[in-house]
């Protein structure tokens, strides 16, 4: 199929590349000149495992191109909207200006029977509004097809999603059946593998996305709330998670207690969901998300307190090694990163912080130039009074406690992600502390 993808951020680039990989002819469109230039040379503007190789092969096949010219969308029949919906500066609500601008720019290039497919995460009601705009200004139609990809696994999640959701307008000119048939052709490969498909209305499709992220955020904050209780009772939250996780109704995934969630999705999505619920007069239904957000943010403060405690109550003038800055491993994303936040707070306490991350050094430096960055864990821990692990990259999990103990000034480690084996570190002479564990 001939496909255009409007917006070449994380979602758009991965989607465009994977669609080309699946055999479709794809143009990725973005207003950012430098992004288009970089992508056209096969260089993604962010770190994602497996993407550079796939991008190179898709470009070489001739099935994938990138352009600043929205007019190039005129050749396509299916147009994915993949622009960002960040949190607005001063409220919890999502900023829809990029979505509105993308659809407005696309309108004059839509042909009869074209399908515009919304992928961006939007407040419920947005699709209905965009559908009215598209059907009034063209002979095209709209479908809502939320995306569930995870950073770090984005390629696999796009090629083999765990479900497909189509939100379709009933009784439109092009007909609900037509939109479904077009999407079935786009996703023929995944459907042939037996991927479950839910065909529904706009509102349900929009809500599926935010409900899923709200559930995941709640699960993480639940276990972090248990960590708070564990901290005052001497219990071990990781054993508690293992034990409750054996109950298949609960499940162990997303019950890793620690510094909590960050990134470009979970935090802003739960806030936008609360803002929308308030507009709809059902704010009470989602008031628990305020608590989910608070629990999550409290973990960062607790981490700073714990580090301070390990430094005899005063971090000022002490040397702290920070391992990890990305919001999670296998990503260079520092948007709302708990790790970067904690690192900055430690600097604010007067500590001498030396931070490292395998992939997020540049993104972190751009956002927080005041920190001192080094390339390796060995450099970061040199002469440190305390080592603080904030993102659970595998290379930090596999650090040799005996080896690095010769580099530090104080063999004290605070594990912000509960990802190290306490017995192993203690046996090597370290003082080991973590969130939610004795
Ligand atoms: C999340 C969802 O998992 C995706 O399904 C969704 O498509 C995506 O948002 C989106 O809306 O685009 P992502 O932000 O890539 O994906 O990251 P997650 O793997 O969900 O992790 C989010 C945060 O939760 C990270 O900071 C991670 O460290 C933290 N986390 C995760 C925990 O603290 N504990 C856990 O047990 C799991």
């Amino acid at each position: 199929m001939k496909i255009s993808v409007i917006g070449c951020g994380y979602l758009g680039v991965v989607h465009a590349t994977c669609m080309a990989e699946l055999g479709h002819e794809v143009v990725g469109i973005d207003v950012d000149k430098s992004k288009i230039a970089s992508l056209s040379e096969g260089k993604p503007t962010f770190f994602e495992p497996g993407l550079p190789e796939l991008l190179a092969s898709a470009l070489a096949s001739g099935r994938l191109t990138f352009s600043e010219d929205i007019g190039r969308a005129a050749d396509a029949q299916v147009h994915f909207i993949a622009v960002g919906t960040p949190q607005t500066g001063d409220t919890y609500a999502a900023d829809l200006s990029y979505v509105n601008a993308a659809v407005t720019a696309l309108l004059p290039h839509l042909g009869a029977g074209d399908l515009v497919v919304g992928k961006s995460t939007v407040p419920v009601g947005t699709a209905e509004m965009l559908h009215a705009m598209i059907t009034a200004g063209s002979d095209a139609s709209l479908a809502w097809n939320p995306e569930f990809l995870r950073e770090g696994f984005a390629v696999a999640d796009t090629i083999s999603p765990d479900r497909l959701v189509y939100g379709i307008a009933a009784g439109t000119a092009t007909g609900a059946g037509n939109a479904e048939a077009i999407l079935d052709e786009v996703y023929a490969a995944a459907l042939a593998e037996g991927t479950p498909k839910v065909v529904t209305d706009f509102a349900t499709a929009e809500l599926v996305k935010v409900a899923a992220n709200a559930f995941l955020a709640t699960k993480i904050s639940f276990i972090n709330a248990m960590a708070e209780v564990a901290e005052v009772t001497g219990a071990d939250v990781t054993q508690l998670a293992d034990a409750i996780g054996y109950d298949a109704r609960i499940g162990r995934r997303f019950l890793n207690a620690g510094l909590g969630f960050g990134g470009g999705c979970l935090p802003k999505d739960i806030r936008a969901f609360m803002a929308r619920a308030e507009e709809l007069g059902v704010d009470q239904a989602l008031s628990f998300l305020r608590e989910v957000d608070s629990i999550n943010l409290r973990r960062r403060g607790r981490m700073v307190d714990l580090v301070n405690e390990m430094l005899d109550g005063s971090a000022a003038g002490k040397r702290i090694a920070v391992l990890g800055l990305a919001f999670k491993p296998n990503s260079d994303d520092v948007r709302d990163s708990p790790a970067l936040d904690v690192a900055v707070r430690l600097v604010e306490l007067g500590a001498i912080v030396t931070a490292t991350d395998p992939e997020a050094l540049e993104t972190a430096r751009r956002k927080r130039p005041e920190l001192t960055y080094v390339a390796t864990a060995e450099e970061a821990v040199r002469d440190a009074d305390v080592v603080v692990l904030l993102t659970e990259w595998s290379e930090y999990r596999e650090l040799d406690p005996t080896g690095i103990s010769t580099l530090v000034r104080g063999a004290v480690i605070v594990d912000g992600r509960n990802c190290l084996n306490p017995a192993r570190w203690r046996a090597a002479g370290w003082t080991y502390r973590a969130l939610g564990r004795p």
Side-chain angles (χ1 to χ4, degrees):
M1 298 198 91
K2 290 190 166 184
I3 292 175
S4 80
V5 177
I6 321 295
C8 291
Y10 212 100
L11 166 59
V13 172
V14 173
H15 193 67
T17 307
C18 292
M19 291 301 108
E21 170 69 15
L22 293 172
H24 301 303
E25 203 173 302
V26 186
V27 57
I29 297 169
D30 200 288
V31 292
D32 184 335
K33 226 184 212 159
S34 61
K35 215 177 249 183
I36 293 300
S38 172
L39 291 168
S40 303
E41 286 173 20
K43 294 184 193 132
T45 49
F46 49 86
F47 174 77
E48 177 63 37
L51 185 63
E53 297 79 3
L54 211 63
L55 179 61
S57 86
L59 288 169
S61 74
R63 287 194 302 272
L64 177 64
T65 51
F66 292 97
S67 176
E68 288 157 68
D69 177 12
I70 186 87
R72 289 276 314 278
D75 296 333
Q77 179 196 8
V78 184
H79 312 271
F80 285 97
I81 304 295
V83 293
T85 52
Q87 187 177 337
T88 48
D90 44 359
T91 73
Y92 270 11
D95 177 358
L96 285 179
S97 60
Y98 303 104
V99 171
N100 287 329
V103 173
T104 306
L106 183 62
L107 263 184
H109 307 290
L110 291 174
D114 279 11
L115 186 66
V116 180
V117 185
K119 277 225 157 276
S120 309
T121 302
V122 292
V124 57
T126 307
E128 199 64 60
M129 181 267 290
L130 294 175
H131 188 249
M133 213 169 123
I134 288 163
T135 49
S138 73
D139 292 321
S141 185
L142 178 79
W144 211 261
N145 171 223
E147 181 56 57
F148 306 104
L149 65 79
R150 296 160 298 166
E151 294 189 15
F153 303 92
V155 170
D157 285 352
T158 306
I159 305 261
S160 305
D162 48 18
R163 76 284 210 191
L164 288 163
V165 176
Y166 304 171
I168 281 170
T172 56
T174 41
N178 193 34
E180 184 179 348
I182 292 173
L183 286 171
D184 281 352
E185 208 173 325
V186 170
Y187 295 120
L191 291 168
E193 283 173 12
T195 305
K197 173 175 93 171
V198 179
V199 182
T200 182
D201 52 84
F202 285 152
T204 306
E206 292 167 311
L207 282 172
V208 166
K209 169 70 195 197
V210 284
N213 277 359
F215 190 86
L216 294 172
T218 304
K219 210 170 169 190
I220 298 167
S221 277
F222 175 83
I223 201 66
N224 281 331
M226 295 305 109
E228 286 191 28
V229 179
E231 276 155 17
V232 296
T233 51
D236 183 328
V237 74
T238 63
Q239 289 187 317
L240 182 141
D242 290 343
I244 63 171
Y246 286 122
D247 184 332
R249 294 169 302 173
I250 296 172
R252 180 62 176 82
R253 294 178 74 189
F254 268 68
L255 281 185
N256 295 323
L259 260 189
F261 58 83
C265 302
L266 262 45
K268 68 115 174 140
D269 286 355
I270 62 167
R271 292 176 196 147
F273 199 11
M274 283 187 269
R276 186 66 183 131
E278 192 167 345
E279 285 169 7
L280 294 167
V282 285
D283 43 321
Q284 256 194 331
L286 297 189
S287 60
F288 72 96
L289 288 179
R290 203 167 285 277
E291 213 42 61
V292 165
D293 202 7
S294 305
I295 294 165
N296 191 53
L297 295 175
R298 272 206 302 274
R299 291 287 78 192
R300 304 176 187 189
R302 170 68 188 145
M303 185 69 193
V304 171
D305 290 347
L306 190 53
V307 175
N308 216 23
E309 197 184 310
M310 299 319 289
L311 294 168
D312 301 323
S314 174
K318 304 280 173 48
R319 301 185 73 88
I320 301 178
V322 161
L323 305 183
L325 296 160
F327 85 105
K328 68 171 190 181
N330 298 315
S331 169
D332 64 356
D333 199 340
V334 294
R335 285 178 292 173
D336 206 338
S337 168
L340 187 56
D341 194 7
V342 166
V344 168
R345 288 196 209 183
L346 292 171
V347 171
E348 285 165 359
L349 289 180
I352 305 159
V353 174
T354 307
T356 189
D357 188 285
E359 292 294 337
L361 287 180
E362 283 319 306
T363 46
R365 199 194 308 271
R366 274 202 294 277
K367 208 163 188 174
R368 290 297 190 170
E370 68 267 35
L371 288 178
T372 301
Y373 298 102
V374 295
T376 64
E378 286 71 21
E379 287 170 80
V381 303
R382 201 170 294 279
D383 296 329
D385 294 301
V386 59
V387 177
V388 181
L389 196 160
L390 301 180
T391 313
E392 69 277 31
W393 286 92
S394 60
E395 55 199 272
Y396 303 152
R397 299 213 306 242
E398 287 153 17
L399 275 174
D400 170 22
T402 309
I404 71 162
S405 66
T406 59
L407 303 173
V408 296
R409 186 149 65 189
V412 180
I413 186 151
V414 186
D415 178 2
R417 292 292 180 181
N418 282 310
C419 65
L420 301 174
N421 180 340
R424 183 163 171 252
W425 283 75
R426 286 179 179 137
W430 286 74
T431 300
Y432 172 93
R433 290 297 299 273
L435 296 170
R437 288 172 112 172

